[in-house]
């Protein structure tokens, strides 16, 4: 256990990475697996896929029941948990222990601020920027009515002028709430725990290591196996949700630009094709595949954002960012309150789902952030992880959402955004509805489709590497066939969730795994505090 009086605070654990692994060859295929974690996770995932394909209707009913129970009965729990994460992070900033440096007193940051900020943003962002950038501000402005703000659109489709500004501000603020400090606090907790117990305590780069202060050497046994298995499924279902949404949006883009029918079959084909591309990236490895795609991803995202900002109504987009930021700052406490509210549609269908989704992505994103944050102080780490990505997302959502809302207010009769989001709910078409009102629509839509597919591939191959690391006992150089296996499994889970109930099934998978993992993360806050107390500073 940790010796609070020691000079370094390191934990002397009698464990080596991969010591319990089974390695060998099956013909031309090599393997190096952590037996209980890999076998149980792999078999359970395969059985889940097979049963859902055999009984799609029954699976759909079960998925809907899980989703409804989680978001209607436990919305308060998700909100309290994530509120606690924010408070815990802010409290750490002001504590003396925040002077602790990740990696030890003499550690030096491996990356410049600019490179670090870019990687923080790239780590936690995926298809959600494209899928929800237009959809969510418009939807909250009109449909879900956060905090009881009235819609500016009358039943006959006309605009109620006196409701416009309040609804515009609340639509943007409600979106910023889901993509700002609360979500990034989830990532900060996971990443801080991994960095602290790996770099400062000398433990393996594994989620189970974060629980050593309370479990001791039992963390290398079945307690640790269960923690890692839960992390695998949280990651798999979190990624499957993103892949499913990505397939829906890519299908909608092909429909908008080229007339391809919107259907589950088309989305399944898209997932299969993109998973095949991800397999090539996984085979090429971290530098030859994931890194190249991530850099391409960032370049395309920046160019696409600048196109919308500069070709569209620039001042309207910038005003959307400022309006949303002011309203978010003003309304963050009321939006965070889990009790005594009447906006059930917003709080349950959106907020509860989002917090479960962020939590399910935490192992995946937390591992990446921890890897690139060595050398930062805890205070510096928390401030930057909370604020920098949030600010970038606010700019993106403010511009996209602000432009889309202005299109509805000025031309409600012809706005495709209004037609796709408000009149007939087709969320996957919302982005393309906004692009329809801008110049070079076909070109912009094609770029948006390609960007969605690149986001899709990047999430798949990065997730495969993370899941493989967990199921290989913390090894980062396990045989390639294992990463290929997990890449295929991610695609299959996304496919069967779409077949078994579409969006509701995707939400069910996230909430089912996010719930137990949120409990683990609460415990993780205690281990972080205990670990920091033993560190020299």
């Amino acid at each position: 256990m940790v010796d609070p009086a020691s000079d370094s605070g390191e934990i002397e654990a009698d464990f080596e990475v991969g010591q319990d692994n089974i390695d060998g060859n099956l013909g031309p295929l090599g393997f190096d697996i952590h037996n209980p974690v890999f076998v149980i996770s792999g078999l359970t995932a395969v059985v889940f896929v097979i049963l859902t394909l055999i009984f799609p209707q029954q699976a759909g009913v079960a998925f809907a029941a899980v989703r409804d129970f989680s978001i209607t009965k436990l919305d308060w729990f998700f909100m309290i948990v994530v509120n606690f994460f924010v408070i815990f992070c802010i409290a750490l900033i002001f504590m003396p222990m925040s002077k602790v440096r990740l990696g030890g007193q003499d550690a030096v940051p491996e990356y410049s601020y600019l490179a670090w900020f870019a990687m923080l943003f790239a780590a936690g962002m995926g298809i959600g920027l494209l899928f929800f950038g237009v959809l969510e501000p418009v939807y909250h402005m009109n449909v879900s009515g956060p905090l009881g703000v009235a819609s500016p659109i009358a039943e006959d489709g006309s605009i109620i002028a006196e409701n416009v500004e309040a609804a515009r501000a609340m639509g943007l603020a409600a979106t910023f709430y889901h993509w700002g400090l609360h979500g990034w606090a989830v990532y900060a907790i996971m990443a801080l725990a991994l960095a602290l117990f790996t770099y400062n305590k000398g433990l393996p780069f594994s989620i189970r290591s974060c629980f050593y202060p309370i479990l001791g050497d039992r963390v290398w046994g079945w307690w640790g196996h269960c923690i890692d298995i839960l992390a695998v499924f949280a990651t798999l279902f979190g990624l499957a949700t993103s892949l499913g949404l990505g397939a829906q949006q890519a299908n909608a883009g092909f429909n908008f630009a080229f007339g391809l029918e919107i259907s589950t079959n088309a989305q399944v084909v898209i997932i299969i094709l993109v998973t095949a591309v991800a397999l090539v990236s996984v085979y090429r490895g971290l530098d030859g595949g994931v890194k190249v795609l991530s850099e391409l991803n960032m370049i395309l995202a920046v160019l696409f954002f600048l196109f919308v900002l500069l070709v569209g109504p620039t001042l309207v987009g910038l005003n959307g960012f400022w309006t949303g930021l002011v309203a978010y700052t003003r309304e963050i406490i009321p939006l965070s309150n889990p009790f005594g509210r009447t906006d059930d549609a917003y709080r349950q269908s959106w907020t509860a789902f989002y917090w479960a989704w962020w939590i399910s992505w935490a192992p995946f994103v937390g591992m990446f952030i921890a890897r690139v944050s060595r050398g930062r102080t805890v205070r510096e780490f928390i401030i930057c992880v909370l604020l920098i990505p949030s600010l970038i997302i606010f700019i993106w959502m403010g511009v996209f959402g602000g432009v889309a809302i202005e299109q509805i207010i000025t031309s409600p009769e012809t706005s495709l955004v209004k037609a796709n989001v408000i009149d007939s709910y087709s969320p996957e078409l919302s982005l393309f509805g906004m692009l329809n009102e801008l110049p070079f629509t076909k070109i912009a839509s094609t770029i948006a489709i390609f960007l969605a597919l690149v986001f899709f591939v990047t999430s798949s191959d990065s997730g495969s590497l993370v899941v493989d690391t967990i199921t290989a006992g913390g090894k980062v150089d396990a045989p390639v066939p294992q990463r290929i296996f997990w890449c295929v499994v991610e695609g299959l889970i996304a496919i069967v969730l779409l077949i078994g109930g579409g969006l509701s099934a995707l939400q069910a998978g996230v909430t089912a795994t996010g719930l137990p993992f949120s409990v683990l993360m609460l415990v993780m806050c205690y281990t972080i505090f205990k670990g920091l107390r033993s560190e020299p500073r």
Side-chain angles (χ1 to χ4, degrees):
M1 301 296 288
V2 182
D3 179 7
S6 67
D7 293 332
S8 66
E10 284 196 12
I11 296 173
E12 296 295 333
D14 187 18
F15 182 85
E16 293 183 6
V17 175
Q19 70 175 33
D20 297 328
N21 283 18
I22 299 175
D23 63 326
N25 294 287
L26 291 174
L29 303 179
F31 61 91
D32 188 353
I33 61 175
H34 194 264
N35 182 24
V37 177
F38 184 95
V39 172
I40 294 175
S41 301
L43 286 178
T44 305
V46 171
V47 170
F48 172 83
V49 169
I50 293 173
L51 290 179
T52 305
L53 288 175
I54 295 175
F55 306 106
Q57 292 184 339
Q58 294 88 336
V61 173
F63 292 149
V66 170
R67 181 205 60 184
D68 293 343
F69 175 80
S70 299
I71 65 176
T72 60
K73 304 299 183 183
L74 298 174
D75 55 308
W76 59 271
F77 175 78
F78 282 114
M79 294 184 73
I80 289 175
V81 166
V82 178
N83 283 343
F84 176 79
F85 292 156
V86 176
I87 294 170
F88 180 75
C89 286
I90 294 175
L92 280 182
I93 292 173
F94 295 99
M95 292 182 180
M97 64 180 67
S98 65
K99 297 178 182 179
V100 169
R101 189 171 295 276
L102 299 175
Q105 299 176 76
D106 299 324
V108 177
E110 300 177 57
Y111 304 96
S112 66
Y113 274 113
L114 184 60
W116 188 45
F117 292 162
M119 286 187 284
L120 289 180
F121 173 74
M125 288 301 94
I127 197 65
L129 280 178
L130 294 177
F131 195 91
F132 293 103
V134 170
L135 167 65
E136 213 180 328
V138 170
Y139 189 90
H140 297 327
M141 174 198 71
N142 176 71
V143 180
S144 59
L147 303 182
V149 174
S151 170
I153 303 176
E155 291 186 4
D156 61 0
S158 61
I159 300 299
I160 306 172
E162 57 267 27
N163 292 352
V164 168
E165 292 310 314
R168 186 202 309 267
M170 183 53 69
L172 291 165
T175 304
F176 287 12
Y177 169 60
H178 289 153
W179 292 86
L181 299 180
H182 284 71
W184 285 94
V186 174
Y187 290 167
I189 296 294
M190 176 60 69
L192 178 59
L194 284 166
L196 175 65
F197 288 100
T198 300
Y199 303 141
N200 295 67
K201 304 302 182 184
L203 296 177
F205 192 64
S206 174
I207 293 172
R208 67 174 69 198
S209 296
C210 304
F211 297 88
Y212 193 92
I214 58 175
L215 292 176
D217 287 335
R218 288 174 297 171
V219 81
W220 315 125
W222 275 103
W223 281 97
H225 301 338
C226 292
I227 290 170
D228 280 349
I229 290 169
L230 185 56
V232 167
F233 281 105
T235 303
L236 286 176
F237 281 98
L239 285 168
T241 299
S242 296
L243 301 185
L245 294 177
Q248 290 179 340
Q249 185 156 50
N251 187 190
F254 283 121
N255 171 266
F256 179 80
F258 309 109
L260 177 69
E261 179 187 4
I262 296 179
S263 67
T264 301
N265 288 337
Q267 291 158 18
V268 168
V269 171
I270 290 172
I271 292 176
I272 292 173
L273 293 177
V274 174
T275 300
V277 177
L279 287 174
V280 176
S281 177
V282 166
Y283 179 79
R284 289 175 58 87
L286 188 62
D287 291 329
V290 177
K291 181 181 177 182
V292 172
L293 281 174
S294 297
E295 291 173 349
L296 175 63
N297 203 6
M298 288 295 294
I299 293 171
L300 285 176
V302 171
L303 291 177
F304 186 61
F305 169 81
L306 291 175
F307 170 83
V308 174
L309 177 64
L310 300 178
V311 175
T314 304
L315 292 180
V316 169
L318 294 176
N319 183 63
F321 159 67
W322 180 249
T323 299
L325 183 62
V326 172
Y328 169 71
T329 305
R330 183 181 65 243
E331 304 293 348
I332 185 171
I333 293 179
L335 287 170
S336 303
N337 173 33
F339 304 113
R341 292 168 58 174
T342 58
D343 54 348
D344 290 351
Y346 173 78
R347 191 181 69 259
Q348 296 177 352
S349 299
W350 289 88
T351 302
F353 164 65
Y354 262 118
W355 295 164
W357 195 10
W358 283 89
I359 290 168
S360 68
W361 263 59
F364 167 36
V365 179
M367 279 191 160
F368 181 84
I369 294 177
R371 283 189 176 184
V372 301
S373 299
R374 188 184 184 119
R376 306 290 175 183
T377 66
V378 171
R379 176 176 295 149
E380 178 185 21
F381 173 87
I382 294 176
I383 291 175
C384 291
V385 171
L386 290 186
L387 294 184
I388 302 302
S390 296
L391 184 61
I392 296 174
I393 294 170
F394 292 168
I395 295 173
W396 179 290
M397 296 287 191
V399 169
F400 279 62
V403 170
I405 289 173
E406 186 66 17
Q407 291 175 354
I408 294 175
I409 299 302
T410 55
S411 305
E413 300 85 3
T414 59
S415 170
L416 280 184
V417 177
K418 178 177 178 292
N420 291 327
V421 178
I422 297 173
D423 298 338
S424 61
Y425 187 58
S426 302
E428 64 277 1
L429 284 168
S430 56
L431 172 64
F432 302 100
M434 185 269 286
L435 294 177
N436 186 66
E437 307 299 321
L438 302 182
F440 312 110
T441 300
K442 290 288 186 182
I443 296 175
S445 299
T446 302
I447 294 173
I449 295 169
F450 187 70
L451 182 57
L453 294 175
V454 175
F455 267 126
F456 196 154
V457 175
T458 304
S459 296
S460 180
D461 59 11
S462 301
S464 302
L465 291 174
V466 169
V467 173
D468 184 47
T469 298
I470 297 173
T471 57
K475 284 194 171 182
V476 295
D477 57 350
V480 173
Q482 293 173 208
R483 296 199 296 272
I484 291 176
F485 169 78
W486 289 115
C487 187
V488 172
V489 167
E490 288 167 15
L492 288 174
I493 289 177
I495 288 172
V496 299
L497 287 176
L498 283 175
I499 293 175
L503 182 59
S504 64
L506 296 172
Q507 292 177 325
V510 163
T511 54
T513 53
L515 181 62
F517 204 78
S518 64
V519 177
L520 284 183
M521 290 192 65
L522 284 173
V523 178
M524 200 176 288
C525 292
Y526 170 75
T527 65
I528 290 173
F529 182 78
K530 191 169 182 179
L532 287 174
R533 285 184 60 190
S534 66
E535 281 293 303
R537 50 187 184 271

